Amino acid sequence: MKKQWNVTVNGIQHNIEYKTGFGTKLIVDGEVHKLKSQNPFVVLIDCPIIIDGAEVRVVVIGNKADIAVNGEYVGSHERYIPVRKVAAWANVLLGLSCIGGWLLCGVLGLLLGVLFGVQYIKLNLKDKNGGVIGFFIFCTAIQVLICWLVNFSGLFALPY
């Protein structure tokens, strides 16, 4: 994934580029910076950049990247909320969904845990904690259903 922004600070235009692939990189006016996710399960980055005395923040949650200038996201025009404000319990639910999903139904469960986990983070940043709990219950129900279908229903049994 590659995302690029042009930001004007003090009348000077600066080029900011976010790249993923073999390592996550942030390129500011040709200068390369390596980035690391704050979460082991999903990409969660909130990186400050100081350009001519102004702070610009690159925020990546899952596969969505945006920059915040003066407390507002450039792409969505929403208010900037620091990623560090994600509640610890939302990260615990994300970990439970990923590890529990992997233990219950393998890679498919892990992928479901990651997909739903990104939603936990986004909802928690918007203070929609009931939505986080609802998504967690829904994700767990889907993972348990997949586990039951594969292991106990006989639908996927091999004929002898």
Side-chain angles (χ1 to χ4, degrees), residues 21-117:
F22 295 106
T24 306
K25 298 176 189 169
L26 182 67
I27 304 168
V28 181
D29 294 332
E31 186 178 329
V32 179
H33 305 275
K34 289 189 177 188
L35 300 176
K36 188 172 184 331
S37 177
Q38 298 172 9
N39 190 301
F41 299 107
V42 297
V43 179
L44 192 60
I45 298 171
D46 189 352
C47 177
I49 306 165
I50 305 298
I51 301 175
D52 296 335
E55 184 180 65
V56 177
R57 299 193 78 87
V58 176
V59 180
V60 183
I61 301 173
N63 63 351
K64 304 283 186 202
D66 205 350
I67 61 172
V69 180
N70 297 329
E72 185 178 283
Y73 288 111
V74 172
S76 63
H77 300 291
E78 292 179 359
R79 185 175 59 91
Y80 165 73
I81 301 167
V83 171
R84 71 177 181 274
K85 295 217 177 206
V86 173
W89 62 268
N91 280 317
V92 169
L93 291 182
L94 187 145
L96 285 173
S97 290
C98 293
I99 294 170
W102 179 65
L103 292 173
L104 283 173
C105 46
V107 175
L108 181 60
L110 176 67
L111 291 175
L112 281 171
V114 168
L115 289 174
F116 278 91

Side-chain angles (χ1 to χ4, degrees), residues 102-156:
W102 179 65
L103 292 173
L104 283 173
C105 46
V107 175
L108 181 60
L110 176 67
L111 291 175
L112 281 171
V114 168
L115 289 174
F116 278 91
V118 169
Q119 298 307 314
Y120 303 163
I121 300 296
K122 288 180 180 179
L123 288 170
N124 187 255
L125 282 174
K126 294 179 180 177
D127 286 333
K128 295 182 179 178
N129 297 328
V132 175
I133 304 287
F135 265 84
F136 176 73
I137 292 169
F138 185 63
C139 177
T140 303
I142 291 173
Q143 290 169 334
V144 168
L145 180 67
I146 290 171
C147 177
W148 183 80
L149 285 173
V150 170
N151 293 318
F152 304 115
S153 71
L155 289 175
F156 298 101

